[in-house]
Amino acid sequence: MRMRLRTKAAVLAAAALVTAAFTAAPAQAATGGNNDPSCRPSAAHPNPVVFLHGLGATYYEDLNFMQAAVAAKGYCTFSQTYGAYPGFPVVGGLRPIADSAGEIKTFIGQVLAETGASKVDIVGHSEGGFQSLYVTKTQGIADKIGTVVAIAPPAHGTTFGGLTKLAYLLGQGERDAVGKALSTLGCPACDNLITDGSAVTTLNNGPIAQSGVRYTVITSRADELVTPTDTAFVREPGVDNQYVQDTCPFDPVGHIGEAYDLNVWNLVTNALDPAHATKFLCVVGSPG
């Protein structure tokens, strides 16, 4: 089911990307780069943008269409698969959140070295959205981050669509058993991201938002995996929390679809460059 939803959403995204390419004015011709180490940030977009995929995804299968669209607007964009097990790179984000955060920190350092930039912006989806918040807070590199745009992050933990509620009702012993099972099955990150998971506890120990970093959190009222949906929001000074439906009320986009939804893409690019934010025509995204 998850793969079918991703495929449907990806087809819609590809169509949207082609449409955008044919309707863009000549002045908007691509001048950025997509995983191009020779890309040099422009004066208009001085920060490279690092994209962080979601749980169980990869750099080439989640935010890849959005990344290409942002690159086409003149940004230097970069991504890699994080949190994969050695010898099995086709599924990322499974390893412990803290381990993946170290990988991401190293990758950000590489991007800064390659581009000569002093800061990066981060756009993350789902676990990648959580990591955009977590890395900025815990890895000692907040001064290297300009903007964080977190799409559907389980910032305060998630019940994974209610699947974990039974464990909590049955008591701490059952909660511990669930965590052990998730780790045994090769997804310690899943346990880290449950409502009282270790990474969630670390992130919420004190303020999440770091001084000098601009934050936008975007999620959908119809998100079926990061639940309750407002668990994504960081209700702290300086953080702009948005439901997709605040701007596009008839968009039924779901969790996976948020990576491919053209409305979300526009909200992201406006968040990356709020001084030049533009109004856009809302479309209907994938409900999955």
Side-chain angles (χ1 to χ4, degrees):
M1 175 66 73
R2 182 180 177 90
M3 289 304 297
R4 288 202 299 270
L5 290 171
R6 281 194 184 279
T7 300
K8 178 182 177 183
V11 169
L12 291 172
L17 188 56
V18 169
T19 300
F22 278 100
T23 58
Q28 294 175 309
T31 57
N34 192 330
N35 293 326
D36 178 4
S38 67
C39 186
R40 295 296 176 265
S42 66
H45 304 304
N47 294 350
V49 184
V50 172
F51 286 81
L52 302 177
H53 62 75
L55 179 67
T58 61
Y59 82 91
Y60 53 83
E61 194 270 324
D62 186 16
L63 292 179
N64 49 314
F65 288 107
M66 184 191 296
Q67 180 181 350
V70 172
K73 290 181 176 290
Y75 291 84
C76 294
T77 70
F78 297 88
S79 60
Q80 71 165 9
T81 300
Y82 66 85
Y85 286 101
F88 195 66
V90 295
V91 181
L94 299 179
R95 295 174 59 224
I97 294 295
D99 292 357
S100 293
E103 287 184 55
I104 294 166
K105 175 184 178 179
T106 298
F107 182 63
I108 287 173
Q110 176 185 324
V111 169
L112 291 172
E114 288 177 349
T115 61
S118 60
K119 293 187 177 186
V120 301
D121 295 336
I122 305 177
V123 175
H125 172 232
S126 191
E127 181 188 347
F130 183 92
Q131 284 285 10
S132 70
L133 303 169
Y134 187 92
V135 168
T136 302
K137 176 173 178 174
T138 67
Q139 299 302 299
I141 58 171
D143 61 330
K144 303 296 184 184
I145 311 299
T147 295
V148 165
V149 185
I151 305 165
H156 303 288
T158 175
T159 66
F160 286 108
L163 292 177
T164 64
K165 287 183 177 179
L166 180 60
Y168 288 96
L169 289 174
L170 293 177
Q172 185 62 39
E174 289 301 318
R175 167 63 182 87
D176 293 343
V178 168
K180 184 177 180 179
L182 289 171
S183 296
T184 301
L185 291 171
C187 190
C190 298
D191 181 52
N192 295 164
L193 294 173
I194 291 175
T195 302
D196 63 353
S198 59
V200 172
T201 300
T202 297
L203 181 64
N204 286 275
N205 182 18
I208 294 174
Q210 301 298 293
S211 177
V213 182
R214 184 172 63 230
Y215 290 86
T216 299
V217 178
I218 301 167
T219 195
S220 172
R221 295 185 188 276
D223 193 304
E224 72 284 9
L225 290 181
V226 175
T227 54
T229 57
D230 66 356
T231 193
F233 290 152
V234 178
R235 301 192 185 280
E236 296 177 12
V239 181
D240 182 14
N241 296 293
Q242 306 177 19
Y243 277 116
V244 176
Q245 291 79 15
D246 292 342
T247 303
C248 298
F250 301 110
D251 187 356
V253 65
H255 184 77
I256 292 172
E258 287 167 280
Y260 305 97
D261 184 76
L262 193 58
N263 301 324
V264 175
W265 295 6
N266 281 309
L267 293 172
V268 168
T269 53
N270 281 347
L272 289 172
D273 189 8
H276 299 94
T278 58
K279 294 183 178 180
F280 58 88
L281 179 66
C282 291
V283 298
V284 176
S286 171

